[in-house]
Amino acid sequence: MSESGLWEVEGKAALVTGASRGIGQAIAIKLSQMGARVACVATSAENCADTVAACLEHSEGARAYGVDVSDTDAVDALVKEVLSEMGSIDILVNNAGITQDQLLLRMTEDDFDRVVEVNLKGTWNFLKSAARGLMKSGGRAINVASVVGVTGNAGQANYAASKAGVIGLTRSVAKELSGRGVCVNAVAPGFIETDMTSEITEAAAEQLKTSIPLGRVGSSAEVAEAVAWLAGPGGAYVTGQTIIVDGGLSLGG
């Protein structure tokens, strides 16, 4: 808490998964700009070198870590390492995620299982391992879901199911940890310009834009701003909610 009694990000320790690029990198940098010490997590620590360097331009204490977020024991060990090196985990951002898109009749069991293991189980792993640290500080957990977890999307049954699960997980954990002052929320991005969406053809992208009321694709920085608000003093009385950042895509016709 600051002298005013408000929760401030400055000086807090934040852990961000999927921080090597895209939305996760933008979130890590934004939190560092707000004064947080950021633990940047990716599948390997080397992948976060650029993110850590960018964070260190704004705040001291940024570090890189590597883990398979679907590996429960490895995540537990990593969280203990972060707590030992950084002293606390005040802000947890579960952003790590993958897609393996395919129509239902062509989707393999491995396609389904791997997406759920990373996107949903990975989020559960970090929430569970970091829960005591968050309760100690009355901290914040923000899970990056997706608008397709609300609307569904053809060809993404595995991804949509995993992200719908993240939203349900968010609401449940928010109820469990609220008594210790922990705010748990989700941010659900729509079509955001990242490496994950770069494979879509230009024609398909233009067609998609016509279905977005704001008429454009979003940016990682815009998602990071929503996360920053939830992580900062503005999110002090918000828990169990999902903020949709999609330019109106989920409004439909």
Side-chain angles (χ1 to χ4, degrees):
M1 295 288 185
S2 67
E3 293 182 2
S4 66
L6 292 174
W7 169 279
E8 299 289 351
V9 173
E10 185 173 2
K12 298 291 193 299
L15 187 156
V16 181
T17 70
S20 63
R21 58 183 182 172
I23 291 172
Q25 184 176 63
I27 291 168
I29 294 171
K30 179 63 182 179
L31 292 175
S32 72
Q33 290 171 340
M34 298 168 73
R37 298 171 290 120
V38 186
C40 303
V41 179
T43 53
S44 71
E46 292 78 11
N47 291 346
C48 277
D50 290 345
T51 305
V52 168
C55 288
L56 289 173
E57 293 180 8
H58 307 288
S59 178
E60 297 181 356
R63 297 170 182 261
Y65 299 88
V67 75
D68 176 354
V69 300
S70 69
D71 186 330
T72 303
D73 290 340
V75 167
D76 194 51
L78 181 138
V79 167
K80 289 176 181 175
E81 182 181 358
V82 173
L83 285 169
S84 175
E85 295 183 354
M86 303 188 74
S88 65
I89 296 176
D90 307 297
I91 300 164
L92 170 66
V93 182
N94 284 304
N95 168 72
I98 62 170
T99 58
Q100 290 183 194
D101 297 348
Q102 190 57 267
L103 293 172
L104 177 65
L105 295 179
R106 297 177 181 174
M107 185 176 290
T108 67
E109 184 178 2
D110 286 343
D111 289 337
F112 186 87
D113 287 349
R114 185 56 183 162
V115 169
V116 172
E117 284 172 359
V118 172
N119 298 0
L120 179 54
K121 185 184 177 186
T123 299
W124 178 83
N125 280 339
F126 272 94
L127 284 169
K128 182 173 171 60
S129 293
R132 286 186 174 84
L134 292 169
M135 288 190 289
K136 185 176 181 180
S137 63
R140 308 285 172 82
I142 300 121
N143 304 318
V144 178
S146 170
V147 69
V148 304
V150 178
T151 65
N153 194 39
Q156 290 192 305
N158 50 1
Y159 186 74
S162 72
K163 293 302 188 176
V166 167
I167 292 171
L169 178 64
T170 297
R171 294 174 67 86
S172 298
V173 176
K175 290 185 175 183
E176 291 187 21
L177 302 187
S178 60
R180 299 297 294 270
V182 180
C183 295
V184 185
N185 293 287
V187 170
F191 191 66
I192 306 298
E193 190 171 355
T194 66
D195 290 347
M196 190 179 288
T197 59
S198 64
E199 295 179 4
I200 190 170
T201 66
E202 185 174 346
E206 288 301 317
Q207 183 177 5
L208 181 60
K209 286 179 186 179
T210 65
S211 65
I212 301 174
L214 288 184
R216 65 176 179 85
V217 172
S219 71
S220 295
E222 288 170 317
V223 180
E225 288 291 341
V227 172
W229 183 79
L230 288 170
Y237 199 56
V238 180
T239 196
Q241 303 305 306
T242 299
I243 296 179
I244 299 176
V245 185
D246 71 346
L249 178 64
S250 57
L251 295 175

